[in-house]
Structures are given as structure tokens and as C-alpha cells.
């Protein structure tokens, strides 16, 4: 089954990475690394790609805003946590 929402966010990340040659080089090194390749979850891979770019590059204001949008889009892919069956006592 194809997860179209995940593909859409991956396209956003790819377009951002392709926006600057330095981003592309940093990302290429990272996605070829064993730590990235061992991640099984596509959502987790997107999160780590974004974190890696933030760690290695200074962003312009526009780029920072684009990364915020991408981060929100990635968060929207994550399943919401299952509510606990335990009752919480409110004081």
C-alpha cells in the first residue's frame, strides 16, 4: 500500500534539499550512512534528515520557515498516541 501523505512530505524534503548544493551534499553523505539506512520507519527517516540539515547549516529566515512547515507536515504523519486506560486523578 502506498502512503501518499508520506510521499508528499518526502517530496517537500527533497525539494528543500535540492534548493542548495551544500544541503544536497550534506544530505547525500547522511543518507548513505549506516545509521540512516538502519532506520526502518519512513517518518523517522524524514525527521532525522531535517535534524541533520539543521545541525550542519545556518538557514535564512525563509529556509527556517520552510523547515518549520516541513516539520509540521512530518508531525502530521505520526499517529496520535493511544489514550491510556488508566484514570488520572485531578487534584
Amino acid at each position: 500500500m502506498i502512503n501518499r501523505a508520506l510521499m508528499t512530505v518526502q517530496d517537500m524534503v527533497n525539494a528543500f534539499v535540492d534548493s542548495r548544493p551544500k544541503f544536497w551534499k550534506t544530505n547525500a553523505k547522511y543518507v548513505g550512512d549506516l545509521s540512516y539506512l538502519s532506520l526502518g520507519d519512513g517518518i523517522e527517516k524524514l525527521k532525522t534528515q531535517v535534524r541533520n540539515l539543521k545541525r550542519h547549516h545556518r538557514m535564512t529566515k525563509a529556509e527556517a520557515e520552510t523547515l518549520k512547515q516541513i516539520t509540521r507536515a512530518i508531525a502530521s504523519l505520526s499517529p496520535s498516541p493511544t489514550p491510556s486506560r488508566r484514570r488520572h486523578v485531578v487534584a
Side-chain angles (χ1 to χ4, degrees):
M1 185 168 129
I2 297 173
N3 186 340
R4 296 205 187 278
L6 180 63
M7 288 176 53
T8 301
V9 177
Q10 180 66 56
D11 289 343
M12 291 170 66
V13 172
N14 290 344
F16 184 79
V17 167
D18 290 343
S19 68
R20 262 210 263 172
K22 288 185 179 185
F23 291 167
W24 187 88
K25 289 177 185 175
T26 300
N27 192 61
K29 286 179 187 175
Y30 180 67
V31 298
D33 190 58
L34 187 58
S35 64
Y36 175 81
L37 296 172
S38 64
L39 293 172
D41 184 27
I43 296 170
E44 193 59 37
K45 284 184 173 185
L46 291 174
K47 287 178 185 178
T48 61
Q49 278 181 282
V50 170
R51 269 187 249 132
N52 186 56
L53 288 172
K54 285 180 180 178
R55 181 179 12 218
H56 289 96
H57 297 283
R58 293 183 67 152
M59 305 293 164
T60 64
K61 197 170 194 172
E63 289 168 342
E65 189 59 39
T66 301
L67 277 182
K68 284 181 187 176
Q69 291 173 352
I70 291 172
T71 303
R72 283 188 226 119
I74 293 169
S76 73
L77 296 174
S78 300
S80 49
T82 307
S84 173
R85 288 189 166 185
R86 295 182 185 176
R87 292 182 182 217
H88 296 282
V89 178
V90 179

